[in-house]
Amino acid sequence: MRKAILMSCVVAAMMASCSSDEELSNLGEKFNGNVTLTAEPYTFDDVDTRTTLSNTGSKIAFAWDDDEAIGIFPIAPTTNIQAKQVLKSGSGNGTTSSFDGAGWALMYGNTYAAYYPFQQKEYEDYTKIPIDMTGQTQNGDNSLAHIGAGYDYMYATTSVPTKGNVNFDFKHVTSILVLELTMPDEAAWKSVTLASKDESKVFTTSAIMDVATGTVTSTATSSEVTLSLNNISTTAANKTLTLYLAVLPTTTGELTLTAKTSANKSYTATIAGKTLVVGKAYRYVEDEFVAIQTTGTENGHAWVDLGLPSGLKWATMNVGASSVTDNGKYYAWGETKAYGEEDKTNERNYNYTGGYTKGGYTLNTYKWSNDNNVNSFSKYTTLTKRKLDPEDDAATQNWGGTWRMPSFGEMQQLRNNCIWVYVTSYKGMDVRGFIVFAAKESDYRGSFLVDISSLPEEYSLDDPHIFIPYGDYDSSLGACLNWYWTSTLSDRSSQNAMQLILQGKINKPKVYEDQMLSRRYTGCLVRAVCE
């Protein structure tokens, strides 16, 4: 594991013989000089605002420990042979060392590319070394050990001269965020999460690196990054913690910072967006945290905070329902009155030619129908206007306040960021449906469990959750089904709108999105959200 040294320094070490000496020795005459490794320190983006990291300056630098390893490729005149090089620190606790390069099998006139941290798999393509930024865990306050142990990705190239020594000058491909947080509570802290307020996927979670050029190509992105915390506590309110998070350079808008305690209390703050540059450290100072309420009411209707990146609160029951297990009323998309309120039946029928609907919900009774033509509507007629106006939003018009129907993206957040547990009887009330829990661990997000006994032991019905009822049993499908509208028109056809479908078969619960079976004039349920 590399050590984090809170000072400005030059890093140098030497490599012992490698496992691929025989292959490398065939490439030319061996080099007999000294070989060193250096790595530039991270410099802070604002040198006028100095950090307390070091009494000697405003930089973060590292030194390698004994038995660390780098990967190395001879890229000219040959390629695709990786060797593992084990480092041996010398004087200066590994910050300065030089050794004889002959035993390392370097060849005169050849060009080499190296990278850190070494990947155990023997890669044959030096342009595709994997980077994984997930799973960062800081152990102890003001500790950089986790970054030095595997998140400070670097690359270097060098050509071996006929005279003199060789130096591999390693360059970082990451940035470091230094979070100086004045915590509002006496607590053991579990995690901090940075999330994009607009849900844009600005953080690269995995990538591949070309070790000859340092070019990083993203392979997966996310709207948030989480730093897990071990052995980090505050003994009183308003004590400051110093936390470190490595990220690949990006440009972010305004971010939400959420800090969670081991007792699952949450606090949030807003931090400004920045453009992060490779090899730079960025200092964030925050002391204006607000406790996150997990339950509350808006305009007389109850909500639950499920810890989603959007920060939205989800209603505890459907619009038009009298209890959490009641289906509530069915609405056509873009209408604010249920047909049951117009003396028409509010019971579901299924028609294989017309799709799932409610009795009385037909094209010729649809508010926005244009001459009973399925291809012609009088509003929301083009795919350029895909979101409901407030005056056509069933949640807004029936509940008031800041209540509204969720967008398709917000409904996807609910599906993909929570734990869904299928139950045949919610709290003994003999109603089938899904209990939707706020996920306490990122690994649990998007999980679908077939019964309550499968729920991880740290969860209970006292934790923040909502219940989404299935509704009636459909014998033709052998399942319970329910459809929930979003406020988003289909991106394929103005005839349809986006929805979330709950399907409950024994031991096969399913929640999925649909945008082509959902005719706008059919009746679906509404689960509201509020700001």
Side-chain angles (χ1 to χ4, degrees):
M1 177 185 298
R2 286 195 302 138
K3 300 174 182 177
I5 298 180
L6 306 182
M7 57 181 289
S8 176
C9 69
V10 176
V11 180
M14 177 54 205
M15 295 150 287
S17 60
C18 66
S19 59
S20 300
D21 279 353
E22 183 176 351
E23 292 174 298
L24 293 178
S25 64
N26 296 325
L27 302 179
E29 183 182 353
K30 285 187 176 181
F31 170 70
N32 292 313
N34 290 332
V35 182
T36 61
L37 279 72
T38 61
E40 293 182 356
Y42 287 90
T43 57
F44 279 84
D45 61 323
D46 185 353
V47 296
D48 295 325
T49 304
R50 295 204 168 192
T51 175
T52 57
L53 286 173
S54 171
N55 293 327
T56 61
S58 59
K59 299 179 181 180
I60 300 174
F62 303 96
W64 282 287
D65 279 349
D66 289 352
D67 299 323
E68 279 285 8
I70 65 170
I72 183 169
F73 289 89
I75 58 175
T78 186
T79 60
N80 298 337
I81 304 174
Q82 175 182 263
K84 176 182 179 181
Q85 308 296 341
V86 178
L87 309 182
K88 299 293 184 181
S89 66
S91 61
N93 195 29
T95 62
T96 58
S97 281
S98 62
F99 289 84
D100 183 1
W104 192 31
L106 288 183
M107 305 298 160
Y108 288 119
N110 287 359
T111 300
Y112 296 85
Y115 71 93
Y116 180 89
F118 177 72
Q119 308 289 322
Q120 291 299 322
K121 180 179 177 181
E122 291 198 5
Y123 294 98
E124 295 183 352
D125 190 340
Y126 67 89
T127 69
K128 295 181 180 180
I129 301 302
I131 289 177
D132 184 359
M133 303 304 296
T134 62
Q136 295 184 55
T137 301
Q138 181 171 327
N139 189 10
D141 183 28
N142 200 21
S143 171
L144 279 156
H146 60 292
I147 294 179
Y151 294 99
D152 184 19
Y153 289 90
M154 295 188 291
Y155 72 100
T157 58
T158 193
S159 295
V160 180
T162 56
K163 293 182 179 180
N165 299 323
V166 172
N167 179 64
F168 280 85
D169 184 14
F170 277 86
K171 305 294 184 183
H172 307 281
V173 299
T174 55
S175 305
I176 295 179
L177 307 186
V178 183
L179 308 176
E180 295 184 2
L181 310 179
T182 301
M183 310 308 281
D185 197 2
E186 175 187 350
W189 295 92
K190 182 179 181 180
S191 66
V192 293
T193 298
L194 292 176
S196 175
K197 273 201 165 184
D198 62 4
E199 302 179 38
S200 55
K201 295 184 177 181
V202 295
F203 297 105
T204 295
T205 53
S206 63
I208 56 173
M209 176 174 62
D210 182 331
V211 299
T213 64
T215 301
V216 174
T217 303
S218 173
T219 56
T221 58
S222 175
S223 61
E224 64 179 59
V225 290
T226 295
L227 173 66
S228 298
L229 306 177
N230 281 337
N231 302 316
I232 299 180
S233 302
T234 46
T235 57
N238 300 318
K239 296 292 185 180
T240 298
L241 299 177
T242 303
L243 310 176
Y244 299 92
L245 184 67
V247 297
L248 290 169
T250 184
T251 297
T252 72
E254 201 171 48
L255 300 173
T256 297
L257 189 153
T258 302
K260 292 185 178 181
T261 74
S262 59
N264 290 315
K265 293 176 65 176
S266 297
Y267 298 87
T268 186
T270 297
I271 61 176
K274 291 186 179 183
T275 296
L276 308 179
V277 178
V278 65
K280 294 284 187 179
Y282 296 84
R283 180 170 172 262
Y284 295 85
V285 178
E286 186 57 59
D287 59 5
E288 297 183 1
F289 283 93
V290 176
I292 296 177
Q293 290 180 265
T294 56
T295 60
T297 60
E298 165 68 6
N299 206 34
H301 298 277
W303 55 258
V304 173
D305 189 329
L306 296 172
L308 300 175
S310 64
L312 288 176
K313 322 305 184 198
W314 281 79
T316 60
M317 64 180 69
N318 293 341
V319 174
S322 58
S323 70
V324 296
T325 56
D326 181 20
N327 277 335
K329 295 178 180 178
Y330 288 74
Y331 298 85
W333 191 83
E335 293 191 350
T336 60
K337 288 187 177 181
Y339 281 109
E341 297 170 335
E342 299 175 351
D343 297 325
K344 295 181 181 180
T345 179
N346 200 34
E347 295 179 0
R348 182 173 57 214
N349 296 315
Y350 179 74
N351 184 313
Y352 278 101
T353 60
Y356 288 95
T357 183
K358 299 297 296 181
Y361 281 68
T362 62
L363 180 61
N364 63 0
T365 59
Y366 181 50
K367 179 177 181 179
W368 306 113
S369 176
N370 193 4
D371 297 326
N372 200 25
N373 185 342
V374 72
N375 295 310
S376 178
F377 298 100
S378 58
K379 191 173 183 181
Y380 308 103
T381 57
T382 69
L383 300 184
T384 58
K385 183 176 176 58
R386 298 185 58 214
K387 184 178 179 180
L388 281 175
D389 292 327
E391 60 265 28
D392 302 321
D393 187 310
T396 301
Q397 296 305 311
N398 284 278
W399 282 12
T402 62
W403 289 107
R404 59 176 175 81
M405 291 165 61
S407 69
F408 179 58
E410 291 161 352
M411 189 71 88
Q412 284 183 308
Q413 270 197 9
L414 182 72
R415 182 186 187 275
N416 297 330
N417 288 274
C418 295
I419 297 182
W420 294 66
V421 185
Y422 173 67
V423 293
T424 57
S425 178
Y426 176 65
K427 291 186 174 181
M429 289 182 277
D430 199 28
V431 177
R432 296 172 183 263
F434 271 116
I435 305 173
V436 184
F437 286 96
K440 296 181 180 181
E441 303 287 347
S442 59
D443 291 346
Y444 296 154
R445 293 175 184 170
S447 299
F448 291 83
L449 308 178
V450 297
D451 59 66
I452 197 72
S453 65
S454 302
L455 195 65
E457 61 181 10
E458 62 263 38
Y459 288 84
S460 75
L461 289 177
D462 293 329
D463 291 318
H465 71 275
I466 59 175
F467 177 69
I468 302 181
Y470 266 127
D472 302 328
Y473 183 80
D474 192 306
S475 59
S476 63
L477 294 178
C480 296
L481 291 156
N482 249 337
W483 294 260
Y484 286 82
W485 281 129
T486 74
S487 61
T488 308
L489 192 69
S490 168
D491 61 5
R492 302 180 191 176
S493 169
S494 61
Q495 301 174 22
N496 305 320
M498 310 290 277
Q499 63 182 193
L500 194 74
I501 300 177
L502 276 63
Q503 175 178 303
K505 292 185 178 181
I506 296 176
N507 294 329
K508 292 183 180 180
K510 185 178 181 181
V511 178
Y512 60 98
E513 305 109 2
D514 177 71
Q515 61 172 313
M516 294 308 294
L517 296 176
S518 47
R519 297 292 191 184
R520 288 167 48 177
Y521 54 82
T522 60
C524 294
L525 299 173
V526 172
R527 180 59 67 102
V529 295
C530 67
E531 305 294 340

